[in-house]
Each structure stands twice: as C-alpha cells, then as structure tokens.
Amino acid sequence: MALGIEIESTGLIGYISLKRTRPEERNADFGIAIRKENWSQAYGRDATNTILRFAFSEMNLHRVTLTVLDYNERAQRCYKACGFREEGRMREAKYREGRYCDKFIMGVLKSEFLQAETAST
C-alpha cells in the first residue's frame, strides 16, 4: 500500500508506504520519501504518525519495521520520535558515494506506539 503525501499549498511532496504486509504475522515494512525542499517542516513526522496510527488501529498490525542508512540522522531522529527503536545493524550493507554504509534496522510495536501517542497528548 502506497499513499501520496500532499500539502495544500504545494501539492504532492512525496509518498509513504507499508510494504510486504504479512497479515498472518501482523507485520509490515515501512517506507517514506519526501522532496528535499520539504524537509525539516514536520511533514515526514506527521505522515509517519498517521500511517502508523492506521497500521495499528485499522489494519491491526503488531509490528512495523524499516531500514535506514547510518548517515541519515534526520530520518533516524524522526523515526525515534515516532516510536521506532533501533534493533540491529547490517554492517557495510550499502555502497554509496565511494564508501560502504551501515543500515540500521528499526521497529515499533503496536503497544509502544500507542503508549508514546498517549503520552504526547
């Protein structure tokens, strides 16, 4: 499932998705991309919280996971703010711009997300 991220003033600025949903295990993989000119405006955090709320409340998922490259600190901060926790690291899993980068594996459980959401209101 992929959805567009749209803002009234600009239109479509990115997408967000839940991939490889496994209903029998109640798991899904998360992905997001936002145009660079729309970074640092809380759109990613808002969209992430919205799709996680949908995943856990409407789809009744138990767990959502993602991978993020080690140098993408902005994304890591966003994911942590939305309840994701680092679960592991794949060492030198991606070659980019002349060097190998680690990938972090992050996940959030339904109970963790609901607890964090309740605490923030």
Side-chain angles (χ1 to χ4, degrees), residues 32-85:
I32 187 170
I34 294 178
R35 290 190 330 215
K36 190 171 187 173
E37 59 266 23
N38 297 108
W39 290 359
S40 299
Q41 298 176 44
Y43 297 127
R45 187 175 185 175
D46 182 53
T48 300
N49 278 322
T50 299
I51 203 162
L52 289 176
R53 195 174 305 111
F54 179 79
F56 294 130
S57 298
E58 302 300 321
M59 296 176 70
N60 196 30
L61 294 182
H62 173 70
R63 171 186 173 76
V64 175
T65 59
L66 62 85
T67 61
V68 60
L69 295 172
D70 60 2
Y71 61 82
N72 195 344
E73 295 173 8
R74 178 191 317 269
Q76 292 171 44
R77 283 192 305 274
C78 174
Y79 300 145
K80 287 177 183 175
C82 294
F84 283 91
R85 297 182 185 179

